[in-house]
Amino acid sequence: MTVLFWILGVLAVPTLIFALWLAWVFLKEFFNPSPDDDAEAAEAAEAAQAAEKLGLLPAEQQNTDLAAPLPAEWTTALAAVRGGDWVPAADLLASVGRDWERRSALAYLLADCAAEEDAWLLAWEAVRPDDPDAAVVRARSTVILAWKLRGGKRAQYTTGEQFDAFHRTLAGAREEVARAAALNPDDPTPYIAEIWVALGLGYPNAEMDKLWAEITARAPHHYEAHFSALQYWCAKWRGSERQAFEFAERAAAAAPLGSLLTALPLIAHFEHDESDDTAADNTPQMLARVEAALADAAAADPSHPRLPELRHLLAFYLHLQDRNEAALEQFKLVDGHVNALPWRYRGDMAGYYCQVRNTVVREAAQAAAATV
């Protein structure tokens, strides 16, 4: 036995020495970073300073709730409902009228507030029980509440209780959607809300097609409707990569310039691109998609509520295509608000946004210097 212990002890010495060496290397690297790390940190700090000189904001000053600033009257109405007063919101939504893009965007923001606290919406409904505007906010808020109950984690990290509440609330939302649609038959907004019911409850493709026909009969080139439907057709939800691209390309080809629907092929690419390099972002097809999106953005109404979302995508893909001067122009137009693709899927969306933006600032400056 003594001999055995002696042999084991001898064998353990090299292992111990190796472990101590690894610990020394780790501590040395931790307290004395390599020159490469120092150079990268200095480069990042220099890029951040260059961005600041251009008037671009640091991560801690980026708004992570919105993709762009809201019109002043929208901000006022949202502040009023948070204080319990529904009247400014009701007046504003009524004034939007049949501008379906703005109606759906405003209804979503109000519904998001109601999903957190709906006393003001209950008061509105009590005074105007058959108001189609209150009804559409209620329908949207019920859908939003369902998704909040589910949470944003993947299925394997979501509890059975969360799924039960999610499915139960979505099922109830179908009644709210139907009521809102009946009270304002021309409005596509209730049906747009139902896309997220379809996605959550797993409507069959044929049923989704029927829902889509209701929407396009009312608003054939509605941005939010197309964005939502594309999510349904993505492989991660109820479709496939092929179905998503077919939907996106078909919609973009049929839409008039300025509708912003050229964003759809870019989004379909983003949702399904699993490559680790930029080769897939620089194919002739992707170059053409970005060119089409640039033309679309240039032709759009500058006040279109979804235009900033396309600009965020353009900034990202122009950078990946080494067109950093053009990317910087897009970044300048959206800086300060980062709740948009491609940043939205990151836990630290403001940090990721600033990392890419600062890289663009540095590379654009280097390119400009090289041409002097």
Side-chain angles (χ1 to χ4, degrees):
M1 185 65 71
T2 303
V3 174
L4 177 60
F5 283 144
W6 181 82
I7 294 172
L8 290 175
V10 171
L11 292 175
V13 169
T15 303
L16 178 61
I17 292 172
F18 180 68
L20 291 172
W21 178 79
L22 281 179
W24 176 78
V25 170
F26 172 78
L27 291 172
K28 180 182 177 183
E29 188 67 22
F30 182 80
F31 290 107
N32 298 286
S34 67
D36 287 345
D37 291 339
D38 286 340
E40 288 179 8
E43 196 174 63
E46 184 179 344
Q49 290 175 356
E52 186 177 351
K53 288 180 181 178
L54 292 175
L56 303 175
L57 300 176
E60 60 270 18
Q61 294 183 35
Q62 299 290 336
N63 182 308
T64 57
D65 295 323
L66 301 167
L70 295 176
E73 61 272 23
W74 290 32
T75 301
T76 299
L78 290 167
V81 299
R82 292 188 185 103
D85 183 6
W86 57 271
V87 175
D91 292 344
L92 181 58
L93 199 52
S95 72
V96 168
R98 297 174 63 87
D99 185 334
W100 303 132
E101 291 282 1
R102 285 176 173 78
R103 179 175 174 82
S104 70
L106 178 58
Y108 180 89
L109 292 170
L110 292 169
D112 192 43
C113 291
E116 296 291 340
E117 170 53 63
D118 71 344
W120 60 272
L121 182 54
L122 289 168
W124 183 358
E125 292 167 325
V127 175
R128 303 178 185 175
D130 293 322
D131 187 340
D133 294 343
V136 78
V137 173
R138 173 62 67 188
R140 298 214 75 168
S141 71
T142 307
V143 176
I144 292 170
L145 176 60
W147 284 93
K148 287 180 182 289
L149 291 171
R150 183 199 181 280
K153 295 182 179 180
R154 293 179 180 272
Q156 61 264 39
Y157 304 115
T158 304
T159 67
E161 290 79 5
Q162 286 175 295
F163 272 122
D164 288 343
F166 173 57
H167 293 137
R168 184 170 61 252
T169 307
L170 279 184
R174 297 186 73 171
E175 297 179 9
E176 301 289 357
V177 165
R179 181 172 181 271
L183 288 171
N184 191 355
D186 291 341
D187 185 9
T189 312
Y191 299 100
I192 295 169
E194 191 175 358
I195 293 174
W196 294 92
V197 179
L199 197 153
L201 294 183
Y203 282 20
N205 290 175
E207 191 169 350
M208 177 62 186
D209 287 339
K210 292 178 183 178
L211 174 58
W212 190 241
E214 296 287 355
I215 293 170
T216 52
R218 293 162 173 81
H221 308 298
H222 194 289
Y223 182 91
E224 187 193 350
H226 281 82
F227 175 87
S228 301
L230 178 56
Q231 292 297 311
Y232 172 94
W233 291 113
C234 282
K236 65 181 180 180
W237 288 111
R238 308 298 174 183
S240 65
E241 182 173 351
R242 177 187 60 79
Q243 288 172 304
F245 272 102
E246 286 179 353
F247 174 84
E249 296 287 4
R250 184 168 59 247
L257 200 62
S259 66
L260 309 183
L261 295 192
T262 51
L264 297 177
L266 296 178
I267 296 170
H269 175 79
F270 178 78
E271 293 284 4
H272 297 92
D273 181 20
E274 297 181 354
S275 59
D276 294 327
D277 55 39
T278 61
D281 307 306
N282 283 273
T283 63
Q285 188 175 40
M286 278 299 291
L287 293 171
R289 286 169 178 164
V290 169
E291 282 301 318
L294 283 167
D296 207 5
D301 176 355
S303 67
H304 193 300
R306 305 295 178 174
L307 177 56
E309 296 179 29
L310 178 56
R311 294 199 184 282
H312 279 281
L313 281 167
L314 280 169
F316 181 68
Y317 281 111
L318 285 165
H319 165 57
L320 295 182
Q321 294 175 357
D322 291 325
R323 301 172 64 184
N324 288 297
E325 291 184 18
L328 182 55
E329 291 306 310
Q330 299 299 324
F331 273 117
K332 289 178 179 178
L333 291 168
V334 297
D335 196 68
H337 295 76
V338 298
N339 190 1
L341 292 179
W343 333 114
R344 184 183 291 153
Y345 288 176
R346 296 295 185 102
D348 181 13
M349 69 173 82
Y352 179 48
Y353 166 87
C354 286
Q355 175 189 337
V356 176
R357 182 206 64 192
N358 293 352
T359 300
V360 165
V361 170
R362 183 182 69 246
E363 294 184 2
Q366 290 173 348
T371 61
V372 175

